[in-house]
Amino acid sequence: MFASIPSAIVVGAQGHPVRVEAHVGQGLPGFSIGGRPDDSVREARDRTRAAILSSQLPYPKVKITVNLAPSGDRKTGAGLDLAIAVGILAASEVVPIEALDRLAFIGELGLDGSVRAVPGVAPMVGALGDVDVVVPIGSGPEARVAALGRVRLIATLGELVAVLNGLMPWPDHVVDAPPAELVQCADLADVHGQPMARHALEIAAAGGHHMLMVGPPGSGKTMLASRLPGILPPLDREQALAATMVSSAAGVPLPPGGLVTTPPFRAPHHTASGAALIGGGSGAVRPGEVSLAHGGTLFLDEIAEFAPKVLDGLRQPLEDRHITVSRSGVHVVLPADFVLIAAMNPCPCGGGAPGECLCNASQLHRYVRRLSGPLLDRFDLRVNVHRPGIDELLAVVPAESSAAIGERVAVARTLAVDRQGCLNRALSGPQLDEFAPLSDASRAVLRHELEQGRLSARGYHRIRRVARSIADVRSAGDEVIDVESVHVALGLRSAFTKVLPMGQAA
Ligand SMILES: [Zn+2]
């Protein structure tokens, strides 16, 4: 007898439908799986056999042949277990084939017959189209986000077989909400002082500008960066779906409703590998941090400590807002549109108060040079962050809240998108002339900076993009960039000018 069961696998953050064909018939007892299974899928033989026997169901003592179609994709992961077991049971007439009409199955089997959650259920379900899907209980919320048909939750293989044989209705399992570890983003009201860094953060959020913070340990760089999600607007429907697919594929815990709606915040350690940051890895292609940060923030603390080769991998996603990962002939495209916030110490020894630094000029130079010019060029905002002064620390008046700042950010973002169809970060030179024209006074100020050699051609464009965002936040988008916005933009430049060669400095 033969049965063909719809299921799916995940490649990158995309689901691919798979048909599990099972044949049970004449021949010496045995179990073979074809159709490019990897080791994790081959192990399904042992898991399905144990699960069927543990569920007090008959296991066929004849030859079992399973084929995974189409044969093009390499099949990875344990998510095909349930479909393989159902296929064997249908082919050996333990469940009626008619009962499987318009049903698809996703889930890993425990040796005790339990059905367990697997990563990537959201994209897998999304790839299956208009069918009813049977998934593990824990995968219910993310399956519902992506499903076109009904979602059936199942706890064990035995329960599923009873339902398919008409011995009981579909069970009504309730999904336990995962622990609410989903970070309540800390509020900017707790950050005392730091007026310039706070303002830079607001501008970064408003224009989507990538930002580099330079400051000694203890100056609050991490504290500031981690508060960026609290002032970014919630994800729109498209971003939310993309972020959910990525998180699901990577096995990152999803919010109780299954849909990622708050901008993610990812802060990989500087020892992160290229695969961890960019995506890939051995075996299946896993989304990297750049994709997990999609729609939100990627924070690289101690950016000068990351391996230069790893940082080099950031260039494609920063340019294209997606990343292509290639692995054994398979090209996977993953979303990677994020605001990059980076932090570094002013020098290798950490700097600190004036006079504390022990580094000589060449050490300093080498340190800053660890960031390649092209990467440094991506940071529209480069700000110095100082340790807060005593008066700032002791201030009793709370600083402005994230909610208040977030309102201005949302208005500025809408303004930019309505005006030019993109955030200010993405404005090219000609677009700047069209959408961010300078007032005469602004032009005179920038001309003076250029003539004095304090501004490079690239820096000139950066300043104009930032000034556009400053104007959008301040005055509801006056057409022309006023001189005050230009002065503020110039003031947000980093003291890197001292160390960097001309052209890389602000
Ligand atoms: Zn130093």
Side-chain angles (χ1 to χ4, degrees), residues 347 349 351 357-359:
C347 64
C349 81
C357 175
L358 305 169
C359 308

Side-chain angles (χ1 to χ4, degrees), residues 215-286:
S219 55
K221 292 168 293 191
T222 304
M223 194 170 169
L224 284 157
S226 64
R227 283 160 174 78
L228 184 60
I231 60 172
L232 287 171
L235 303 182
D236 64 28
R237 176 79 190 161
E238 198 182 317
Q239 289 172 319
L241 275 176
T244 303
M245 297 301 169
V246 170
S247 293
S248 169
V252 171
L254 290 160
L259 190 68
V260 177
T261 52
T262 48
F265 179 79
R266 304 291 301 183
H269 192 252
H270 61 73
T271 53
S273 67
L277 192 65
I278 304 305
S282 59
V285 174
R286 283 299 177 93

